[in-house]
Amino acid sequence: MILNSSSSSVSSAINTTCSSRKTPPTSRNQLSINEQLCGGKSCCCGSRRHFIQGASTALFPLVYSSTPSSASSPSDSMAMLNRLHPPRPDWYEEFYASVMNSSMKSYEAEVAGYKSQLFDNLRGKAKKVLEIGIGTGPNLKYYAADTDVQVLGVDPNRKMEKYAQTAAVAAGLPLTNFKFLQAVGEAIPVRDASVDAVIGTLVLCSVKDVDMTLQEVRRVLKPGGIYLFVEHVAAKDGTFLKFWQNVVDPLQQVVSDGCHLTRQTGNNISEAGFSSVELGNAFLSNASLISPHVYGIAHK
């Protein structure tokens, strides 16, 4: 994630490479969101964070993958959360969440047209959606108004939850169809092949392990499911922008909760083992150090 950006229209140069495209399956039953996404089994864990999840966990009990993965058990998932995102003071988590809620408006205005087009791929196709790094929920307005859509939002910062809930309500998504889960992308506590779509925008810049996160995305997607992404990436080698990204990157990681400026995230996605990837390149004209973006759709 980032803290600063500026508004303007998107100026993009798109180079799209497509292979066979699969249509995500449409889902259909009347189970509650936790039964569909999480399997309907409850779990126990003695960690402080799991205790904080308390009441909501009782209503949305989790099932973790039975196959070898970073989310193979409740304790593994919580251990990964605490290792990769060590507990911060409540005041810091609240401060960061409030800053993200207020400071990203100009960025969201700049990419609104692009996101509308990208998220159209979900309409009528994805009923069970997982969003990693959901933050304050800026993407919900693009896809959450569909009838019966069910959304599980994952973020390591628990203080994001109230903002994401507000965004869900504003988008027309009943809170009974929305669940916020405190977790990291490297250990998503959701069973294998259980969601129609995964969304991630401005999140792979901040995760500790990009490749592990992408393997988790593939694991939780149903066959034929889709992964929608928007990520800022490193500028081209030899450019003045790349020079400044290298200079500022260590400070960016400190002040922006682990955000990296120099990752080649498009390469990671292309090599993650998806059946096909539609990858575009965009340049946000007034977004300063995070101007270069990759975006697109990957199919399981």
Side-chain angles (χ1 to χ4, degrees):
M1 286 288 186
I2 51 165
L3 292 182
N4 60 321
S5 53
S6 56
S7 65
S8 180
S9 60
V10 175
S11 173
S12 61
I14 306 174
N15 295 311
T16 304
T17 303
C18 303
S19 57
S20 62
R21 179 178 182 129
K22 298 182 180 180
T23 302
T26 303
S27 151
R28 48 8 49 236
N29 60 47
Q30 324 239 333
L31 298 176
S32 66
I33 183 172
N34 67 289
E35 289 173 315
Q36 295 187 41
L37 293 178
C38 305
K41 297 181 183 178
S42 59
C43 59
C44 299
C45 179
S47 72
R48 171 179 174 272
R49 283 182 166 180
H50 194 70
F51 176 78
I52 290 174
Q53 290 177 348
S56 62
T57 304
L59 295 173
F60 295 90
L62 306 179
V63 158
Y64 296 77
S65 170
S66 59
T67 59
S69 75
S70 58
S72 59
S73 73
S75 58
D76 287 348
S77 180
M78 297 309 299
M80 188 73 77
L81 171 64
N82 286 315
R83 180 168 68 85
L84 299 182
H85 189 83
R88 276 82 159 171
D90 282 350
W91 69 265
Y92 174 84
E93 299 276 70
E94 176 58 43
F95 172 75
Y96 190 77
S98 65
V99 168
M100 292 302 297
N101 189 56
S102 60
S103 69
M104 296 297 289
K105 289 181 171 59
S106 60
Y107 174 86
E108 292 300 332
E110 186 174 6
V111 300
Y114 155 69
K115 281 190 174 182
S116 294
Q117 183 178 11
L118 183 65
F119 286 111
D120 275 348
N121 290 280
L122 293 179
R123 296 192 181 279
K125 300 176 182 178
K127 293 300 183 183
K128 295 188 284 290
V129 178
L130 167 68
E131 182 164 351
I132 56 173
I134 192 170
T136 59
N139 295 324
L140 289 167
K141 63 185 177 183
Y142 295 105
Y143 68 87
D146 277 4
T147 304
D148 297 330
V149 68
Q150 299 166 331
V151 180
L152 177 62
V154 172
D155 200 282
N157 185 345
R158 167 60 70 182
K159 299 298 183 179
M160 298 288 188
E161 181 174 12
K162 62 184 177 183
Y163 298 105
Q165 287 180 335
T166 299
V169 171
L173 178 69
L175 289 182
T176 53
N177 281 18
F178 176 72
K179 165 69 178 140
F180 181 98
L181 178 64
Q182 187 183 24
V184 290
E186 295 89 340
I188 303 172
V190 174
R191 68 185 182 188
D192 297 354
S194 59
V195 299
D196 300 311
V198 175
I199 295 169
T201 66
L202 300 186
V203 62
L204 294 183
C205 60
S206 300
V207 299
K208 295 290 186 182
D209 191 319
V210 176
D211 293 329
M212 183 182 292
T213 300
L214 290 171
Q215 292 310 306
E216 281 291 274
V217 169
R218 289 183 62 239
R219 180 182 66 80
V220 302
L221 277 173
K222 294 178 179 179
I226 58 175
Y227 166 47
L228 304 183
F229 57 89
V230 182
E231 299 289 347
H232 69 85
V233 294
K236 290 183 179 179
D237 290 340
T239 62
F240 184 69
L241 178 56
K242 180 61 176 296
F243 168 78
W244 276 111
Q245 285 180 330
N246 285 329
V247 170
V248 178
D249 192 45
L251 178 62
Q252 176 81 355
Q253 294 177 45
V254 173
V255 301
S256 297
D257 208 22
C259 173
H260 292 70
L261 295 172
T262 58
R263 286 181 170 173
Q264 301 286 353
T265 307
N267 294 341
N268 295 89
I269 296 172
S270 296
E271 298 169 2
F274 292 99
S275 64
S276 66
V277 177
E278 302 169 32
L279 181 67
N281 300 293
F283 187 86
L284 306 187
S285 57
N286 291 312
S288 186
L289 291 172
I290 64 157
S291 294
H293 274 53
V294 294
Y295 64 89
I297 307 173
H299 304 263
K300 181 174 179 179

